[in-house]
Amino acid sequence: MIYFIAHIANLLFTSNLVYRHVPDPYMDEIFHIPQAQQYCQGNYLTWDPKITTPPGLYIASNALIYLSKGLFELNDLCTVHALRATNILFSIGLYLVLAAFFKRNRLYALTLAWLPVSHFYSFVYYTDSGSTFFVLLSYLLLKKKKYHLSGIAGMISLTFRQTNVIWVCLFMMLTIIETLSSKGLSNPPFESIDGWGTMIKSLTSLLQKTWTHIFIVLPNVIMYVVTIISFAVFLVWNGGIVLGDKSNHMAGLHFPQLFYFTSFLSFFTLPFWNIQQITQFVYQLTIKKIVYSLISTIIALYLVHKYTYEHPFILSDNRHYSFYVWRKIYKRHWSIKYLLTPLYIISGQLNLHKLGKQREFADDTRG
């Protein structure tokens, strides 16, 4: 309870501080807030073409406003401060979801809820908080074997960020694996996978068991399937994944993003590592693993060379973290992006080693 109180106190204090210093729409709020205010006035067919994400955030705010008006007879709930409060509620919900994952250590839940890059969006009117909340809620419901509700939560997450379809696909696969776990599915622990043969065998087993037990699997994944089909219909109708400003948001292959992600993960999980774990990782290195690492580095160097993109917004907008990372690190010299490649590989291997030790995201969600 003390962590929950600390979370709410931090949200209220910081939100008031932000509003006192930034009372007007900030960054992309200049698009999101007017759009939400159009919904407040009942103009549901009015759409700003600069907005690239679906209207889930505005619908959520609209619903909360009608509810507040009905219960408390409040007026003027479409102000900047009131709309930002939508993400305060999502942030509270996010902590509760994380606390359900980490029942034995609520400090972990608080630590994740206060992850700086994510926590920032609790105080501005962006889609990130709602998107993160519904994705993690979907995963929590999956772990509790409430697959239909998980699929519904996943579908709602797509109304905030359409790229969440990737998570819906992942959760559907996890549901299939859980459903088939008692049907002789070949699903070895990560650490026991010793090559491509084992992975191919597992994949073949998954396909065969899914086909054989399709009438057992299908009822559990039906809502995920409906969500994915709905997304496919949206793609055809919209002519692409991005709503609105398509010219500045073109889809493409950007493999280095995987390298940036593993570096990000390593940086923020560093406090959870200890010398013993790192030493164990080093002792488990074999000639075979070293050769694989060298091959991976060569492939990564090619991907960095071929697929590194500098989006104009990264170079022009100094209000984002990525602007400073790019300017102070990557733009210092043309060779930096190549010199960092071995670190990406090491980072990825360390993260896989860490995740391989724990097959479940949080074992204590059960019971």
Side-chain angles (χ1 to χ4, degrees), residues 93-167:
L94 177 63
Y95 171 82
L96 294 174
V97 169
L98 291 169
F101 277 117
F102 298 102
K103 290 181 180 178
R104 298 173 188 169
N105 193 335
R106 298 295 170 83
L107 181 58
Y108 281 175
L110 189 65
T111 301
L112 288 174
W114 287 3
L115 180 69
V117 177
S118 173
H119 195 46
F120 166 81
Y121 295 105
S122 300
F123 311 107
V124 291
Y125 197 65
Y126 272 44
T127 59
D128 300 67
S129 297
S131 171
T132 305
F133 167 74
F134 281 110
V135 167
L136 286 178
L137 177 62
S138 179
Y139 186 53
L140 177 64
L141 291 167
L142 185 160
K143 298 303 296 178
K144 292 182 176 294
K145 300 188 184 304
K146 298 178 180 179
Y147 302 126
H148 291 169
L149 291 176
S150 173
I152 293 171
M155 181 181 289
I156 295 173
S157 78
L158 263 66
T159 68
F160 286 78
R161 287 284 182 88
Q162 55 270 53
T163 48
N164 286 335
V165 70
I166 300 297
W167 292 110

Side-chain angles (χ1 to χ4, degrees), residues 15-258:
S15 64
N16 284 320
L17 188 67
V18 169
Y19 183 70
R20 191 161 65 245
H21 290 279
V22 192
D24 299 319
Y26 176 69
M27 292 200 297
D28 286 1
E29 283 187 327
I30 62 174
F31 307 113
H32 293 303
I33 287 177
Q35 183 62 55
Q37 290 170 339
Q38 289 288 341
Y39 275 43
C40 288
Q41 297 168 16
N43 301 326
Y44 299 111
L45 298 181
T46 301
W47 187 259
D48 186 339
K50 287 291 184 181
I51 295 174
T52 61
T53 49
L57 176 63
Y58 321 128
I59 295 171
S61 294
N62 216 230
L64 290 170
I65 287 167
Y66 276 115
L67 182 63
S68 299
K69 284 182 177 179
L71 292 177
F72 307 108
E73 298 184 357
L74 299 174
N75 296 315
D76 196 19
L77 290 175
C78 273
T79 63
V80 174
H81 198 34
L83 288 171
R84 287 174 178 172
T86 304
N87 283 336
I88 297 294
L89 294 177
F90 279 132
S91 186
I92 292 173
L94 177 63
Y95 171 82
L96 294 174
V97 169
L98 291 169
F101 277 117
F102 298 102
K103 290 181 180 178
R104 298 173 188 169
N105 193 335
R106 298 295 170 83
L107 181 58
Y108 281 175
L110 189 65
T111 301
L112 288 174
W114 287 3
L115 180 69
V117 177
S118 173
H119 195 46
F120 166 81
Y121 295 105
S122 300
F123 311 107
V124 291
Y125 197 65
Y126 272 44
T127 59
D128 300 67
S129 297
S131 171
T132 305
F133 167 74
F134 281 110
V135 167
L136 286 178
L137 177 62
S138 179
Y139 186 53
L140 177 64
L141 291 167
L142 185 160
K143 298 303 296 178
K144 292 182 176 294
K145 300 188 184 304
K146 298 178 180 179
Y147 302 126
H148 291 169
L149 291 176
S150 173
I152 293 171
M155 181 181 289
I156 295 173
S157 78
L158 263 66
T159 68
F160 286 78
R161 287 284 182 88
Q162 55 270 53
T163 48
N164 286 335
V165 70
I166 300 297
W167 292 110
V168 173
C169 291
L170 174 63
F171 297 158
M172 182 177 72
M173 291 302 301
L174 292 177
T175 299
I176 293 172
I177 291 170
E178 283 196 1
T179 303
L180 296 175
S181 60
S182 61
K183 304 297 181 182
L185 178 68
S186 176
N187 184 27
F190 175 80
E191 289 189 320
S192 68
I193 297 175
D194 55 2
W196 288 101
T198 306
M199 289 188 284
I200 293 173
K201 179 182 177 182
S202 298
L203 181 58
T204 302
S205 174
L206 178 62
L207 294 174
Q208 290 176 340
K209 295 295 181 181
T210 301
W211 177 254
T212 303
H213 302 285
I214 187 64
F215 293 108
I216 297 175
V217 169
L218 192 57
N220 287 346
V221 301
I222 188 65
M223 284 310 304
Y224 301 118
V225 172
V226 169
T227 300
I228 293 168
I229 291 174
S230 301
F231 179 75
V233 171
F234 161 78
L235 286 181
V236 174
W237 169 79
N238 185 56
I241 193 171
V242 176
L243 281 167
D245 189 13
K246 293 183 174 65
S247 61
N248 286 313
H249 299 82
M250 300 294 290
L253 296 174
H254 195 177
F255 294 107
Q257 279 195 335
L258 298 173

Side-chain angles (χ1 to χ4, degrees), residues 11 30 40 52 93 127 227 235 272 294 298 321 333 345 355:
L11 289 173
I30 62 174
C40 288
T52 61
T127 59
T227 300
L235 286 181
F272 298 98
L294 291 174
I298 293 171
Y321 292 114
H333 193 270
I345 300 302
L355 292 172

Side-chain angles (χ1 to χ4, degrees), residues 298-309:
I298 293 171
I299 295 173
L301 284 168
Y302 170 77
L303 295 176
V304 166
H305 175 73
K306 186 72 175 179
Y307 296 101
T308 297
Y309 301 112

